[in-house]
Amino acid sequence: MKKLFIIMAAVTMVFVSCKKDKDNNPVNPTPTIAEQIVGKWIDVESDGRLVPTIESMVTTFFMEGSTLKANISVSSLDFDVWENKHQADVQIDGGTLTLTASDGGLTTVEQFSNININGDEMRYTSMYTVLYNGEVIIDFGPNEVRCVRVHDDFSQIILGRWEGTITSDEPGFEPLPFCEKYLSDGTNIEYELVDGQWVEVETDFAEYFVDGAMLFTRWQYPGCKEERENSVFMSYVDNTLIVKEVVRRNGNCYTETSTLHKVVE
């Protein structure tokens, strides 16, 4: 009887000890929103509709110590914004995140609520406000946004000269020849096909930057207004680069796909 009591006491002590260790060291604790959201995100849908890439931005969330921070890359002709990794303040209130970025007199505020992150996809409700010198000039939302997380960095891959063809799912679109050279100083050279030969196009300026998997370009032809374009890198295999751009024409969105091959010069 005494022996049985000793065995039962020992088993009880082991069980209590193991339970205590489990309580102190939980297995796979649920990550917080701040931990789940770390990475580069590109918005691809709003209210179930494709977002034109010229309206897209790259939002990069990262931890600095225990503090969540963000960088935003965006190009806008409407507000003459050309920002590569512009820092934004991040405030967390429960499950709601608020991003605030300022550039001179222009301030943008976006609120993320109802955040749902599943692997490399994030859905959230967006409230977006733009202020100029403290006065609200744009205020829209709520919009249901879908973003995708990207892991690749194309900033070095893009360097060099590329030739290929642009196709589109727009009815009647004829494939277009494409040739562009991207230099390490952030400028690029555009070419046009003349009598079967690529000829450099004259521009007042042509520059670009890459943030992760998104390409931002702007240029101006002599005597014309500035133009801008944003594209998303899809893949790079065997010196073949696939780039896509969502464009809006006549109220509809179409996807243009550039299939490019690197040229050895």
Side-chain angles (χ1 to χ4, degrees):
M1 185 72 178
K2 185 176 181 181
K3 185 177 181 181
L4 179 60
F5 174 78
I6 292 173
I7 292 174
M8 291 178 64
V11 171
T12 301
M13 289 178 65
V14 170
F15 175 76
V16 172
S17 176
C18 289
K19 185 176 186 302
K20 187 174 181 180
D21 287 344
K22 277 190 175 182
D23 292 341
N24 291 338
N25 300 287
V27 177
N28 298 325
T30 302
T32 64
I33 289 293
E35 293 169 328
Q36 292 182 72
I37 206 171
V38 167
K40 288 185 180 294
W41 299 89
I42 299 176
D43 45 317
V44 293
E45 285 184 8
S46 178
D47 294 333
R49 299 178 181 178
L50 290 176
V51 175
T53 45
I54 194 63
E55 298 174 12
S56 293
M57 63 181 68
V58 178
T59 305
T60 305
F61 292 94
F62 61 97
M63 298 298 295
E64 192 169 280
S66 59
T67 303
L68 181 66
K69 295 193 174 183
N71 287 329
I72 298 173
S73 290
V74 60
S75 173
S76 169
L77 260 178
D78 293 337
F79 303 107
D80 195 24
V81 176
W82 178 257
E83 292 287 353
N84 184 6
K85 302 182 181 67
H86 183 69
Q87 187 167 331
D89 294 327
V90 181
Q91 291 183 326
I92 304 176
D93 183 8
T96 300
L97 271 61
T98 302
L99 274 66
T100 305
S102 297
D103 181 20
L106 195 68
T107 299
T108 60
V109 180
E110 184 174 15
Q111 185 182 79
F112 293 53
S113 61
N114 304 319
I115 301 170
N116 183 4
I117 301 174
N118 184 10
D120 288 337
E121 180 180 271
M122 173 169 62
R123 295 177 183 269
Y124 68 96
T125 303
S126 170
M127 294 293 295
Y128 198 84
T129 304
V130 180
L131 303 94
Y132 186 71
N133 290 333
E135 181 180 348
V136 175
I137 56 176
I138 291 181
D139 189 10
F140 59 88
N143 299 107
E144 300 306 318
V145 178
R146 183 174 74 88
C147 298
V148 293
R149 179 174 10 218
V150 295
H151 300 276
D152 297 319
D153 179 7
F154 286 83
S155 58
Q156 296 302 307
I157 292 174
I158 190 64
L159 297 178
R161 179 167 164 168
W162 300 86
E163 294 182 10
T165 304
I166 302 174
T167 58
S168 174
D169 59 5
E170 180 180 5
F173 186 94
E174 295 292 333
L176 296 173
F178 176 93
C179 184
E180 198 109 353
K181 185 174 183 179
Y182 298 91
L183 307 176
S184 59
D185 63 357
T187 62
N188 55 292
I189 301 170
E190 180 184 349
Y191 299 84
E192 63 179 343
L193 202 56
V194 178
D195 297 327
Q197 299 292 322
W198 289 111
V199 178
E200 184 176 335
V201 176
E202 182 182 359
T203 56
D204 291 334
F205 64 83
E207 56 190 46
Y208 77 97
F209 67 84
V210 173
D211 188 352
M214 195 160 180
L215 170 66
F216 299 82
T217 57
R218 65 175 177 178
W219 69 95
Q220 182 171 297
Y221 301 122
C224 299
K225 294 182 179 181
E226 178 182 340
E227 296 187 53
R228 298 191 184 190
E229 189 174 270
N230 301 340
S231 305
V232 177
F233 298 102
M234 304 304 295
S235 66
Y236 177 63
V237 180
D238 297 331
N239 283 333
T240 299
L241 187 63
I242 306 296
V243 186
K244 290 191 176 183
E245 178 189 359
V246 176
V247 298
R248 181 186 284 122
R249 295 193 184 98
N250 301 319
N252 296 314
C253 281
Y254 303 100
T255 300
E256 294 183 357
T257 303
S258 302
T259 302
L260 311 174
H261 306 281
K262 179 163 278 189
V263 177
V264 178
E265 297 183 296

